[in-house]
Amino acid sequence: MTIQHDIKTSQNDLRTISTLVADAMGQFAKLFQNEIDLAKAELSERVQKITGAAGLIAGGALLVIPAIVMALFALSAALISAGWSQPLSYLTSAIVAGAIAGVLFAVGINRLDARNLAPRETIRQLEKDKDTVKGMVR
């Protein structure tokens, strides 16, 4: 009777272990799905940032062109009335325009930097999940 009891107990233990493993895998699958949802939300946020940055760049480029042209004409006229030659005053105005354009492009590019767009929270959480699964397997 003890051998039958031991066999029955072993079978129950195997069922318990398989149930625990199945539950752990089910929880891991649910956790992984939650991480996917987090990644989607985070990437959606990043896309909104990209769209906003692109809109700012386009709006800035569109609105700044007429203002810069008028300011450059005024600068050139002021330099000419101060006694500068026309070519030198126009060249000076072009250099000023180039500097302003460089600042605008630098700000726009900085906002689109890949390090600022990476889903850091999702990556950090997936690393933690990987460590957790490794711990469960041990």
Side-chain angles (χ1 to χ4, degrees), residues 9-24:
T9 303
S10 296
Q11 288 174 344
N12 287 339
D13 287 345
L14 286 176
R15 285 189 201 128
T16 304
I17 291 171
S18 64
T19 303
L20 288 173
V21 169
D23 288 346

Side-chain angles (χ1 to χ4, degrees), residues 60 64-65 67-69 71-72 93-107:
V64 81
I65 291 171
I68 289 176
V69 168
L72 293 173
S93 296
I95 291 171
V96 169
I100 292 171
V103 169
L104 291 174
F105 281 119
V107 169

Side-chain angles (χ1 to χ4, degrees), residues 55-74:
L56 288 173
I57 291 169
L62 183 68
L63 294 175
V64 81
I65 291 171
I68 289 176
V69 168
M70 295 305 293
L72 293 173
F73 278 134

